Amino acid sequence: MSKAFLIAAPWSNSGKTTLTLGMSRWFSNQGNTVQTFKCGPDYIDTIHHSTAARKSAVNLDTVMMPEEHVNTVFERYSASADISIVEGVMGLFDGAVKDQGSSAAIAKLLDIPVILVVNASAMAYTIAPILHGLKTFDPEVKIAGVIFNFIKTVSHYAFLKEACDTVGIPSLGYIPPNEEIAIPSRHLGLHIDGTFENVIEKAASHIATHISLPTLLECAKAVPKIDQETSASITSEKKYRIAIAKDEAFTFTYLQNLKWLEAIGEILYFSPIHDQKLPEADMIYLAGGYPELYLEMLSDNIAMRNQLKKAADRGVKILAECGGMMYLGNTIIDEEGKEYDMVGIFPFSTSMQNKKLSLGYRKVVCNDLEIWGHEFHYSKVMNDDIIPTVGQVFSAREKEVATKIYQYQNVYASYIHLYWAALEEPIDLCI
């Protein structure tokens, strides 16, 4: 049998991700097949999960995905693993609307226990009523144990353990602070660079030194295990050639979206930074990423920019999301105000100056199609007043938002990272 559990916290910045990465690597180092999942729409945490577990991570999201789809995805990927670790999002009950899409909602749906990680560095016995509230607020959410993070002394931990005893939740131990496993800041979540391998190994060692991970595993739920993943839910004739941008600048994809595309077409990866030739394809997918960190290289690759523009002009279907959308504009302006030429399919520019966060779930309604996604960016679009938007875009609270979907011939671009893997039938790549 496989074991599964969800790591959650009462509030953000408690150390969920560090704990998930360290545990995943430690269990993997012991010879286990570890499958990681991320609650919510985050596409950066899953990159680090994949590194730590040595296996591609998967998103689970009950806002963007039907519940049946979430269950199917979890069952498919957990069935081939020895240990499945689901990292929660924000606080335990924090969702898009009340607890919709929260860690608690997903734990209930999957019927797996919750391991709480609590930043109790400035708290003692007062944690008791907090734990009591989390335990009793929704009895269907099964809190199996608590790990206290950033605790420096045994005497401090004694107060916290007494609180657990009072509330009736097992205390699984405490983890002292350690600057060597601190996660660098980022403007779109966890920073991405080559130093993470060392950080992950140190996190694994540090956590295992202070927490009995085999004991923690006893709190997990046993789930059926098979030898390999079952086939994808969508099977059809592979009648398309699909070119997908993949390099340092374009990395933000959902695994299940790629699996969905693999089911309907032959996948051809290319690099807008390094490649001089665009693959011949029926469809082109430019996902999000960090184009603002590679502006000079993207701009200098004139051959690639010209070929993408020509492909758009002759009617090739292109879908571009966030960073991909920025790349298809006339220019991108960096934080210092320097302007770099981009593909020029759309007449707007995007700017990293005076950064302001825009984020939230988005429901796109267009041409009788309803599809969900997520918006998260600091850049802004300039000079797009004359470009009409396609369809309508709504928030999770059904409020129409100003986010635009731009169209040029068969090119569709927006700030929204779409999730189309839950669609039951194959459709054209572009909406």
Side-chain angles (χ1 to χ4, degrees):
M1 297 291 283
S2 176
K3 291 294 189 76
F5 59 93
L6 185 146
I7 301 233
W11 44 76
S12 296
N13 301 315
S14 295
K16 295 190 302 292
T17 299
T18 301
L19 204 66
T20 301
L21 298 179
M23 283 185 182
S24 299
R25 176 55 59 88
W26 189 86
F27 284 123
S28 177
N29 285 347
Q30 308 311 304
N32 297 288
T33 300
V34 180
Q35 178 63 63
T36 52
F37 301 86
K38 174 64 183 179
C39 296
D42 193 300
Y43 32 74
I44 298 179
D45 283 358
T46 53
I47 294 173
H48 300 302
H49 284 193
S50 302
T51 300
R54 303 183 174 102
K55 196 173 193 295
S56 296
V58 186
N59 290 82
L60 302 171
D61 190 311
T62 53
V63 177
M64 295 197 304
M65 312 171 190
E67 290 187 352
E68 183 180 355
H69 177 77
V70 174
N71 265 319
T72 298
V73 169
F74 179 74
E75 290 170 2
R76 176 179 303 136
Y77 286 91
S78 64
S80 62
D82 299 308
I83 300 168
S84 294
I85 304 175
V86 183
E87 183 193 345
V89 56
M90 299 186 293
L92 178 59
F93 290 98
D94 294 331
V97 180
K98 294 186 177 181
D99 66 345
Q100 181 190 8
S102 68
S103 307
I106 290 174
K108 281 182 12 178
L109 176 64
L110 302 179
D111 190 26
I112 58 175
V114 172
I115 304 295
L116 280 177
V117 53
V118 179
N119 179 351
S121 57
M123 190 174 296
Y125 192 68
T126 299
I127 196 65
I130 295 173
L131 293 177
H132 176 74
L134 292 170
K135 178 183 178 182
T136 59
F137 180 74
D138 186 343
E140 291 184 50
V141 179
K142 302 165 186 174
I143 298 178
V146 182
I147 295 171
F148 294 103
N149 207 3
F150 309 112
I151 305 304
K152 296 180 180 179
T153 66
V154 174
S155 58
H156 184 180
Y157 174 62
F159 289 102
L160 303 170
K161 189 174 185 308
E162 287 173 346
C164 284
D165 293 341
T166 299
V167 175
I169 298 177
S171 175
L172 301 174
Y174 73 96
I175 302 174
N178 183 344
E179 287 300 318
E180 290 188 331
I181 65 172
I183 293 173
S185 62
R186 60 165 182 173
H187 69 274
L188 278 175
L190 298 179
H191 185 68
I192 299 176
D193 62 27
T195 65
F196 254 81
E197 179 64 29
N198 187 41
V199 172
I200 289 169
E201 280 291 347
K202 287 182 176 179
S205 176
H206 184 64
I207 292 166
T209 298
H210 298 279
I211 301 291
S212 172
L213 294 179
T215 300
L216 179 147
L217 208 55
E218 294 174 5
C219 301
K221 179 186 177 180
V223 295
K225 185 175 185 295
I226 60 174
D227 291 334
Q228 59 185 0
E229 295 173 7
T230 57
S231 60
S233 58
I234 293 178
T235 56
S236 64
E237 180 186 354
K238 294 191 176 187
K239 55 184 178 179
Y240 301 110
R241 287 169 57 88
I242 304 171
I244 299 177
K246 184 180 181 181
D247 58 20
E248 303 94 311
F250 303 101
T251 58
F252 299 164
T253 55
Y254 295 123
L255 177 65
Q256 286 303 105
N257 276 355
L258 299 182
K259 294 292 185 183
W260 193 94
L261 293 177
E262 287 175 3
I264 65 169
E266 176 190 359
I267 304 301
L268 310 164
Y269 289 102
F270 73 100
S271 168
I273 290 179
H274 304 292
D275 292 343
Q276 296 297 305
K277 184 173 175 57
L278 178 69
E280 288 293 329
D282 303 297
M283 307 174 186
I284 299 169
Y285 174 39
L286 291 153
Y290 286 134
E292 66 270 24
L293 301 182
Y294 304 94
L295 292 176
E296 188 170 349
M297 288 187 284
L298 287 169
S299 185
D300 286 348
N301 194 345
I302 297 173
M304 180 58 70
R305 292 197 285 118
N306 287 342
Q307 288 173 65
L308 280 166
K309 180 65 167 64
K310 289 177 181 177
D313 289 341
R314 67 174 183 268
V316 174
K317 295 178 180 179
I318 301 176
L319 176 64
E321 300 172 336
C322 204
M325 179 204 76
M326 295 167 67
Y327 177 54
L328 295 189
N330 260 341
T331 63
I332 298 178
I333 303 166
D334 69 14
E335 293 184 41
E336 286 70 44
K338 185 174 180 180
E339 200 162 6
Y340 294 84
D341 289 333
M342 292 293 138
V343 176
I345 291 174
F346 295 102
F348 57 69
S349 295
T350 49
S351 174
M352 296 302 299
Q353 290 189 300
N354 304 313
K355 293 190 296 185
K356 182 181 179 182
L357 178 61
S358 298
L359 82 162
Y361 287 102
R362 300 290 182 254
K363 182 177 73 172
V364 178
V365 180
C366 182
N367 296 340
D368 298 322
L369 174 68
E370 180 178 300
I371 186 167
W372 282 86
H374 191 260
E375 181 176 359
F376 193 150
H377 59 92
Y378 284 86
S379 65
K380 62 183 177 183
V381 178
M382 305 171 63
N383 308 318
D384 71 333
D385 293 342
I386 63 171
I387 310 173
T389 186
V390 177
Q392 294 176 286
V393 180
F394 300 89
S395 71
R397 295 181 179 271
E398 297 294 337
K399 302 286 187 182
E400 190 163 4
V401 296
T403 304
K404 286 187 174 183
I405 301 174
Y406 305 100
Q407 180 185 4
Y408 169 76
Q409 296 207 52
N410 288 323
V411 182
Y412 293 80
S414 78
Y415 269 124
I416 303 169
H417 294 262
L418 297 171
Y419 187 86
W420 59 78
L423 297 174
E424 293 181 359
E425 298 292 336
I427 60 166
D428 284 346
L429 178 64
C430 298
I431 54 178

